[in-house]
Each structure stands twice: as C-alpha cells, then as structure tokens.
Amino acid sequence: MFRALGDPQRLRLLMLLEASERCVSEVCELLGEPMPAISQRLRLLKSERIVRSRRDGKHVFYSLADDHISRLVTNGGMHAMEI
C-alpha cells in the first residue's frame, strides 16, 4: 500500500479524489495526462483497495476507499509539501 502511495503522480491523483468523487475523463482533464496513464494508475490503486469505483451509465467514478485512506493521503500530501 505504501509503495502505491509513494509515487508522486498517484499521490496527486489521490489528492484529487480526496476532494470529491471523479470520473476518469475529469481526472485526465485536471491532471493534463492521457487516459491510459490515469486508467493504469487507478487500476493499481483499486487492486490495492485504496480507491473504489462505481459505474453510472458509460462513466466510471472513483473515490477513496475509506476515511483511513483519506487520512493517509492528507498526511502524505502534507509531508510531501514539507520536503
């Protein structure tokens, strides 16, 4: 889990999801990255049970798995800003 949280791009993605649930296309827009890269990161984070997904029609929305993950992301982001 900590290895998954240790990547700067994944941490940025998680910080976006901490604010609110988002669909993949919205995450791509906000981060300015291609959909395959975002999808790959989300797949890894989902396999580690860090994020969860729900489908609404054609869109898949992602959010943090629970409050424990939210606290880890908050603390990781704060730590990254200190360095």
Side-chain angles (χ1 to χ4, degrees), residues 36-47:
I38 298 296
S39 294
Q40 182 178 6
R41 287 185 198 122
L42 286 167
R43 189 173 341 153
L44 179 117
L45 293 168
K46 188 174 178 184
S47 74

Side-chain angles (χ1 to χ4, degrees), residues 8-19:
Q9 286 84 9
R10 285 192 295 261
L11 187 56
R12 281 183 38 208
L13 191 154
L14 291 170
M15 291 171 86
L16 276 178
L17 295 178
E18 183 181 22

